[in-house]
Amino acid sequence: MTAKRWCKLILAVLLIFGSLPVWAQQRDIKLELGFAGEIVADNWNPLRLTMRDQPDAELVLEIDHGNLREGSKIFRYLAPLSGQRGISVFEDDVFIPVWRSFSWLVQSGEVILASGSFDRRQLDPRPLELILSNDIGTARTFFDKEARVIEAKADDLPERVASYQGVNTLLLDGSAANPRLAAVVAATVAGVKTLILEPLTPERTALLRLAPEPRQRLGAGWIARAPAANAAEVLTDLPSLELKPLTEALLSPEMTREPTGIPQFIVLLLAGLYLVLILLMIRFGRGPGILAALSLSLVLSLAAWGYFRPQQETLLRARSLHLGSGDLALTSELQTLFRLPEGLERLNLQARPLDVDNYRQSPTELSFAMPRWSQATLILRPVLSNAQLQWQGEMLVNNSSQNLSDVFVLGLGPQGTLPPGASLLLRFSDDGLVPALYQPLSAALPVGTALARRGGQIHVALAPEFTSLAWSQP
């Protein structure tokens, strides 16, 4: 073997051994986005990053959600990762827009520990049908051929409601491992149709606490029990709520109204009086008058700056929607920001901007630049809360410590004000006109749903099972 070939062989061996640490790091860092690697675009998706024996690092997701006409629009998600010996797991929910390019990396200082990307061909906005079963073939027959049926594991189910925004169904047949009750509750409250196949095994009897009846609402979703033979029929019969339009319906003209300033007539009048006063001082005061005019200009400028300058650089308006049934509710909040001077907006929340091109999100902070005199609309990550407006039988109950006003039941009409802790016996009202605040919501809600408000909060008690169209008759 010639010397040249020996050199090539030695170089190849060095390259192989030199790359072993990188391969090991890649194997020791695993990023999971969505369920079983399936991402639902334009929705919140669960994120889990698992590391083993790694230093302090940072996770960076970079998504270009622009297009050829409008150009690049960059969203970056940055999360600090605490290094430690052994296995560490980081979990969060991230809103994934429809992307043009999508890449990620884990870096420690200047060193990239792991990286990857998601192809645009993986982009799919269809909701998921999650199945916990050891017989996935049989379970698939309960759904349409076009459905995105995903085999999930009990340990992979998060306990955060935002994780399930892109999920339509959760099916439990008793053959797989038992899921955590908190995860089942989170999924159902988020609007998922949870179906438990009967007969229940002894390990599944704990689910009876969540599903004492064959079917019931919980939060924004349903939880039901049925034999496998009736599974497809039950899933078809259970109605779904379109939650995104309900949240976006909170964006009323009041939320987007620009801040009011001083009327133009008053500004012109004050400016005219000021000019007349200055001219008189200069005309009749001569030298001393000029000094007095300059002094007056300085004093009035400082006074106008202090009096007319807004107290805050950013004006915030917020409105929240609480969709409840049973003891729990799904809370979604919409905020509008109006910024007067140009600057960087930093907010301690997780949200998806509707009209901001470039922004950054961390587990605790959202930041983006705003031009002067501009507006931004944010939809916050949905969370679980206690239902304050609740059906108890055929009685409507206020579980909060404050009055709920403008109570309205679709199909029956206005019901007045509901004091704290009080219950309401429903009555039919001839004035069935839906209040303007509720009109954008009423079209997507079933007859028998109750709505009430307290300030910027709208509380919705979804129609219970006893509701019928007969309610619309006096």
Side-chain angles (χ1 to χ4, degrees):
M1 185 178 291
T2 63
K4 187 175 182 181
R5 290 184 176 179
W6 275 109
C7 290
K8 289 183 177 180
L9 180 60
I10 293 172
L11 180 60
V13 172
L14 290 175
L15 288 175
I16 291 173
F17 281 97
S19 60
L20 284 178
V22 177
W23 294 344
Q25 286 175 341
Q26 289 278 11
R27 289 196 302 269
D28 291 342
I29 298 177
K30 181 181 179 182
L31 176 70
E32 300 171 87
L33 193 57
F35 291 93
E38 294 290 332
I39 302 172
V40 184
D42 204 30
N43 283 273
W44 292 90
N45 287 260
L47 179 149
R48 175 184 293 176
L49 184 77
T50 306
M51 301 194 307
R52 184 175 63 186
D53 298 330
Q54 297 293 341
D56 291 345
E58 183 180 44
L59 169 65
V60 181
L61 306 181
E62 184 169 306
I63 301 175
D64 182 355
H65 58 107
N67 52 51
L68 294 177
R69 175 178 295 180
E70 299 177 350
S72 295
K73 299 178 181 180
I74 303 300
F75 159 52
R76 287 187 178 90
Y77 176 86
L78 303 98
L81 306 172
S82 299
Q84 63 182 43
R85 295 187 62 84
I87 296 177
S88 61
V89 178
F90 170 79
E91 292 185 303
D92 199 5
D93 296 311
V94 183
F95 183 84
I96 305 298
V98 175
W99 70 83
R100 186 166 63 171
S101 65
F102 186 175
S103 61
W104 66 273
L105 61 86
V106 176
Q107 60 183 7
S108 178
E110 300 296 327
V111 179
I112 297 179
L113 305 178
S115 63
S117 63
F118 295 92
D119 195 276
R120 184 171 171 80
R121 287 174 294 183
Q122 295 177 255
L123 196 155
D124 196 338
R126 293 178 300 161
L128 303 178
E129 319 292 344
L130 298 184
I131 298 177
L132 270 71
S133 171
N134 291 331
D135 186 7
I136 189 70
T138 301
R140 284 181 181 272
T141 62
F142 303 148
F143 304 93
D144 295 334
K145 293 182 179 180
E146 300 299 323
R148 293 179 70 186
V149 180
I150 304 299
E151 183 179 3
K153 297 179 180 179
D155 293 338
D156 293 338
L157 297 182
E159 298 179 6
R160 307 177 302 274
V161 294
S163 301
Y164 299 94
Q165 190 183 61
V167 178
N168 184 57
T169 305
L170 176 61
L171 181 68
L172 314 171
D173 73 350
S175 63
N178 204 32
R180 299 183 300 273
L181 291 183
V184 178
V185 168
T188 309
V189 171
V192 173
K193 293 186 286 188
T194 301
L195 179 61
I196 304 167
L197 297 187
E198 296 178 321
L200 292 175
T201 61
E203 294 79 10
R204 298 284 189 185
T205 53
L207 293 173
L208 289 176
R209 288 182 288 170
L210 302 178
E213 302 295 331
R215 69 177 190 175
Q216 52 268 300
R217 288 189 184 273
L218 182 62
W222 292 90
I223 184 166
R225 296 183 284 111
N230 300 334
E233 180 183 355
V234 171
L235 290 175
T236 302
D237 290 342
L238 292 177
S240 298
L241 285 177
E242 293 292 334
L243 299 179
K244 283 186 181 180
L246 283 173
T247 305
E248 294 174 0
L250 299 176
L251 191 63
S252 65
E254 295 179 0
M255 297 286 290
T256 59
R257 186 181 66 251
E258 294 184 355
T260 56
I262 303 173
Q264 188 176 10
F265 171 75
I266 296 178
V267 174
L268 294 175
L269 179 62
L270 293 176
L273 292 175
Y274 168 73
L275 290 175
V276 170
L277 182 59
I278 292 296
L279 291 174
L280 290 175
M281 294 176 69
I282 294 175
R283 173 66 178 83
F284 297 103
R286 299 179 183 250
I290 294 176
L291 293 176
L294 293 174
S295 301
L296 181 62
S297 299
L298 179 61
V299 171
L300 290 179
S301 298
L302 293 175
W305 174 256
Y307 182 75
F308 296 117
R309 182 174 180 268
Q311 298 296 321
Q312 297 178 334
E313 293 183 344
T314 303
L315 303 179
L316 171 66
R317 298 188 183 100
R319 183 169 289 168
S320 60
L321 178 67
H322 306 262
L323 281 170
S325 188
D327 296 326
L328 301 174
L330 177 69
T331 296
S332 303
E333 184 175 341
L334 184 143
Q335 294 185 1
T336 55
L337 309 175
F338 198 93
R339 188 172 179 89
L340 304 179
E342 180 182 0
L344 180 66
E345 199 66 47
R346 304 172 71 99
L347 305 167
N348 295 324
L349 50 82
Q350 283 190 297
R352 64 177 181 102
L354 295 183
D355 44 16
V356 176
D357 293 341
N358 304 300
Y359 59 99
R360 289 191 176 193
Q361 179 72 72
S362 75
T364 58
E365 184 180 84
L366 173 69
S367 62
F368 51 90
M370 292 186 67
R372 63 180 299 272
W373 205 257
S374 62
Q375 183 173 288
T377 304
L378 312 175
I379 296 182
L380 276 60
R381 183 177 69 173
V383 296
L384 185 147
S385 61
N386 293 321
Q388 299 188 18
L389 183 66
Q390 182 181 354
W391 289 106
Q392 291 184 2
E394 297 193 13
M395 303 290 288
L396 194 60
V397 180
N398 178 2
N399 288 325
S400 71
S401 58
Q402 298 179 349
N403 283 338
L404 292 176
S405 59
D406 299 327
V407 180
F408 191 94
V409 178
L410 299 179
L412 288 182
Q415 306 292 317
T417 298
L418 190 56
S423 57
L424 179 67
L425 182 61
L426 302 178
R427 65 183 186 278
F428 181 83
S429 174
D430 293 332
D431 181 14
L433 184 64
V434 180
L437 180 63
Y438 301 153
Q439 284 180 2
L441 304 171
S442 61
L445 296 171
V447 173
T449 297
L451 302 96
R453 65 174 304 205
R454 182 173 62 244
Q457 301 178 6
I458 300 178
H459 296 271
V460 177
L462 292 169
E465 275 296 282
F466 63 79
T467 302
S468 68
L469 293 176
W471 277 28
S472 61
Q473 303 296 326

